[in-house]
Amino acid sequence: MTEKTMEHLILIILSMLVAFGPRFIPLRIFSTRDIPRWFNEWMKYVPVSLFTALVVKDVFIDTSAGYVFTGIHNMAKIIASLIVIVVAYRSRSMGLSVVLGLVAVTLLAMVFTV
């Protein structure tokens, strides 16, 4: 092995450890403890909150020109988001919501600017 290959291998192993640590340590700690009911109830809202934050940022903030509020200039994304909200609320299916959201953005991008 060359020195460059060895450096890459060490970098990959260290990256694996850094990515594995935050997943393994809480699992190891909390697998032997009883988690309070209120904590489990609270944790149900974390995925929805994170997903909402990511979507709202993508729809209403333009990062190509700095962090600028776009308002209603992303009409295709706004309409597609509303469609996804309705579909997700009625079907409770993440897969169906994602697929219909992608189709809606694709079709609406032909009419509105993205």
Side-chain angles (χ1 to χ4, degrees), residues 60-110:
F60 292 108
I61 306 240
D62 182 14
T63 57
S64 65
Y67 286 91
V68 179
F69 179 69
T70 60
I72 60 169
H73 298 294
N74 284 336
M75 209 48 154
K77 290 181 181 179
I78 294 170
I79 294 171
S81 298
L82 294 173
I83 292 169
V84 168
I85 289 169
V86 171
V87 170
Y89 182 76
R90 290 188 166 263
S91 71
R92 305 282 188 208
S93 170
M94 183 67 126
L96 181 63
S97 301
V98 169
V99 169
L100 285 178
L102 290 171
V103 169
V105 167
T106 303
L107 295 176
L108 290 166
M110 294 177 191

Side-chain angles (χ1 to χ4, degrees), residues 47-61 81:
V48 174
S49 301
L50 292 174
F51 184 69
T52 302
L54 291 171
V55 169
V56 167
K57 179 188 164 288
D58 184 55
V59 171
F60 292 108
I61 306 240
S81 298

Side-chain angles (χ1 to χ4, degrees), residues 1-19:
M1 270 193 204
T2 66
E3 184 178 335
K4 192 126 180 120
T5 306
M6 193 62 166
E7 288 177 5
H8 283 107
L9 184 61
I10 291 171
L11 182 64
I12 290 170
I13 291 171
L14 290 175
S15 298
M16 186 231 19
L17 291 173
V18 168

